[in-house]
Amino acid sequence: MPENVDANSFSRILGVKRKALDQISLLLSSGFASSKKARNDEDVLDEYRNRLASFHNGKWENGKELNPRFLCERGFRLVDAAKKTIKCDACGFYLNTSLPDITTVDMKVYNRCLRKVFEGVETCHEKTCTAKSRRPNFFPHVNGEVELMRELSIRMDKMKNAHLSKEMEVTEDCLDSAVVLRLFPDESVDIRLKRLVITGWEIEDSSNVRCPLCLRSIGLDLSFTPSSSHYSWCPSIDLNDALNIPQWRVVIDMLSKSYRDLHQCLSIARRALSASLSTSSLCDPTHIK
Ligand SMILES: [Zn+2]
Ligand SMILES: [Zn+2]
């Protein structure tokens, strides 16, 4: 025990150190707890995915402009694929979105019909409808690297069950392999699986992957470039306003810079604290009989 510290203070310091060590260990082992806001964002995103599935299952085809994302973000699900009827989940309003065949009508007529549907989608809701306040934030953890990294790690674990043939190529010219390794350092895992996770894909079953934001499904028997295989309206490939690069890339760049640093700092802090604690314990007066 240092000469200028009394026994009570020394015990208190040891107690604080042990508590800090427990907290750091808990953070490192749990992958960090999910915040209340993050959980709410996840609920809203789940509702969106559920609506998107109705369009996916109904094999929605209604013009390039009227894509499922646009309708799902505004609270709608597909209830009748043949009649192109959609319904707002929040206020229950039904809307017919059928458009004339673009090859048989005048462009002006087609555009007028399209405009009418767009207006309907935005304005048909009941006054008390909550759809507007439940718009999904597709990258809810963009300010919480740790939560996002945890999500990617879970996805990576599941992805390890995918079967890739030796010949199958998952090319990704714009993805530096150093970045891939930084995020997923386990070298025993196939780098092709890591590329799939990083570019927004998750395992659907052992032979297919699926994007959770556009629900596009791709078989693992053919070579493909994952970052350019999303539907054209997928939020993953929205260009970030400030950086002019796709959102998936923004997230990955941010994670590869900060998360590993944070994790390393915590690991170093834990080791330092642990070493200091065992040294201090040697001269802990409460242990001296
Ligand atoms: Zn509504
Ligand atoms: Zn997608």
Side-chain angles (χ1 to χ4, degrees), residues 128-265:
T128 52
C129 180
T130 54
K132 239 182 191 168
S133 62
R134 304 283 289 172
R135 289 230 179 141
N137 175 5
F138 296 108
F139 297 94
H141 311 310
V142 92
N143 293 317
E145 305 74 348
V146 176
E147 284 169 11
L148 186 60
M149 191 61 215
R150 187 189 50 181
E151 204 174 293
L152 279 188
S153 301
I154 293 170
R155 217 181 276 177
M156 187 69 245
D157 275 345
K158 291 182 184 163
M159 187 63 92
K160 287 174 191 166
N161 297 319
H163 297 307
L164 300 186
S165 66
K166 275 187 183 165
E167 301 74 39
M168 191 218 172
E169 286 179 31
V170 179
T171 48
E172 204 52 76
D173 297 339
C174 58
L175 194 57
D176 189 342
S177 51
V179 171
V180 178
L181 268 177
R182 210 163 173 218
L183 286 170
F184 299 118
D186 184 352
E187 290 188 20
S188 66
V189 179
D190 191 327
I191 193 161
R192 295 175 297 173
L193 297 179
K194 294 178 184 176
R195 284 182 186 143
L196 285 170
V197 169
I198 286 174
T199 49
W201 301 84
E202 64 180 17
I203 189 164
E204 185 175 22
D205 53 51
S206 60
S207 49
N208 291 285
V209 286
R210 189 183 66 158
C211 167
L213 295 184
C214 68
L215 299 189
R216 177 132 200 223
S217 186
I218 290 188
L220 293 172
D221 49 346
L222 294 171
S223 300
F224 71 107
T225 305
S227 67
S228 51
S229 299
H230 295 271
Y231 284 126
S232 59
W233 44 265
C234 179
S236 290
I237 54 171
D238 283 355
L239 287 183
N240 177 278
D241 291 340
L243 303 167
N244 204 32
I245 54 173
Q247 283 292 356
W248 72 265
R249 182 81 224 194
V250 175
V251 170
I252 294 309
D253 285 353
M254 178 192 70
L255 280 181
S256 67
K257 280 190 192 101
S258 59
Y259 177 77
R260 287 293 153 198
D261 292 347
L262 175 65
H263 202 269
Q264 264 171 10
C265 284

Side-chain angles (χ1 to χ4, degrees), residues 88 90-94 122-132:
C88 173
C91 70
F93 197 94
Y94 285 85
E122 299 283 8
T123 60
C124 74
H125 302 269
E126 302 289 346
K127 272 186 182 159
T128 52
C129 180
T130 54
K132 239 182 191 168

Side-chain angles (χ1 to χ4, degrees), residues 57-82:
N57 299 337
K59 304 196 185 328
W60 178 255
E61 280 177 23
N62 209 13
K64 204 180 164 195
E65 301 88 348
L66 215 54
N67 66 58
R69 172 185 172 182
F70 173 79
L71 300 171
C72 292
E73 280 182 310
R74 283 148 185 84
F76 289 97
R77 69 171 54 248
L78 181 63
V79 288
D80 189 328

